[in-house]
């Protein structure tokens, strides 16, 4: 039997967001013009997540340490939230699998079914082409 990625339901995404505590933001940026900057800032202010920023070219962001790789994060990572070029997704997935992250989230505009299938086979839940901020706001803060 082949394990294939299937888009999660709204209920499954809601449960994923509720049970997750830590998020690695891969591709963090200190450029306010980049979507990752606004999403990160919003999540810091409005979510229950502990955020870990990943970018080998930065030291600090929003007063928080920035890590060169997912492996350098000193805590267990629930969600790996990817803001990288689609060509980088397989490498980021390798890191997520290596640290035994629970979920692999590709931000709006990113979809890689080959990597998604590999992630599912490795035991990760996968969300593709969705914004963590938008889903958090609409699914957890709607009431």
């Amino acid at each position: 039997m082949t394990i294939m990625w299937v888009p999660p339901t709204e209920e499954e995404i809601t449960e994923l967001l509720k049970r997750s505590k830590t998020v690695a933001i891969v591709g963090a940026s200190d450029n306010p013009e980049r979507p990752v900057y606004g999403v990160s800032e919003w999540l810091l202010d409005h979510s229950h997540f502990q955020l870990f920023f990943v970018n080998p070219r930065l030291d600090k962001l929003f007063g928080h340490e920035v890590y060169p790789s997912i492996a350098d994060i000193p805590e267990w990572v629930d969600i790996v939230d990817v803001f990288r070029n689609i060509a980088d997704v397989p490498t980021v997935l390798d890191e997520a699998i290596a640290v035994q992250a629970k979920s692999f989230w590709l931000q709006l505009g990113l979809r890689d079914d080959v990597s998604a299938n590999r992630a599912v086979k490795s035991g990760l839940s996968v969300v593709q082409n969705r914004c963590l901020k938008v889903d958090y706001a609409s699914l957890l803060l709607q009431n």
Side-chain angles (χ1 to χ4, degrees):
M1 179 171 116
T2 303
I3 299 173
M4 301 289 290
W5 175 77
V6 176
T9 65
E10 299 283 305
E11 293 79 18
E12 289 168 332
I13 292 173
T14 300
E15 285 307 309
L16 167 68
L17 295 173
K18 284 180 180 177
R19 75 174 176 261
S20 298
K21 305 279 187 259
T22 56
V23 176
I25 305 284
V26 180
S29 175
D30 58 359
N31 180 348
E33 302 298 315
R34 308 240 356 152
V36 66
Y37 185 94
V39 168
S40 298
E41 187 174 47
W42 189 92
L43 288 171
L44 279 171
D45 292 342
H46 300 283
S47 78
H48 69 272
F49 299 133
Q50 180 177 4
L51 300 182
F52 296 98
F53 301 109
V54 179
N55 184 327
R57 294 184 301 268
L58 295 177
D59 293 322
K60 291 272 185 193
L61 184 62
F62 304 114
H64 297 268
E65 182 175 353
V66 179
Y67 299 91
S69 73
I70 299 168
D72 294 308
I73 296 171
E75 297 197 29
W76 183 286
V77 175
D78 290 315
I79 299 173
V80 173
D81 188 12
V82 183
F83 284 88
R84 297 284 308 272
N85 185 295
I86 195 70
D88 298 327
V89 167
T91 302
V92 177
L93 176 58
D94 290 340
E95 288 187 54
I97 292 169
V99 301
Q100 299 179 329
K102 293 184 179 181
S103 302
F104 195 65
W105 190 296
L106 298 180
Q107 271 300 132
L108 206 55
L110 293 179
R111 182 171 174 146
D112 177 348
D113 288 344
V114 172
S115 290
N117 289 335
R118 191 161 61 91
V120 169
K121 288 177 188 170
S122 296
L124 283 81
S125 58
V126 178
V127 178
Q128 298 193 82
N129 194 28
R130 294 185 71 130
C131 179
L132 187 61
K133 169 192 166 191
V134 170
D135 282 342
Y136 193 98
S138 67
L139 298 173
L140 297 189
L141 301 180
Q142 62 189 356
N143 297 328

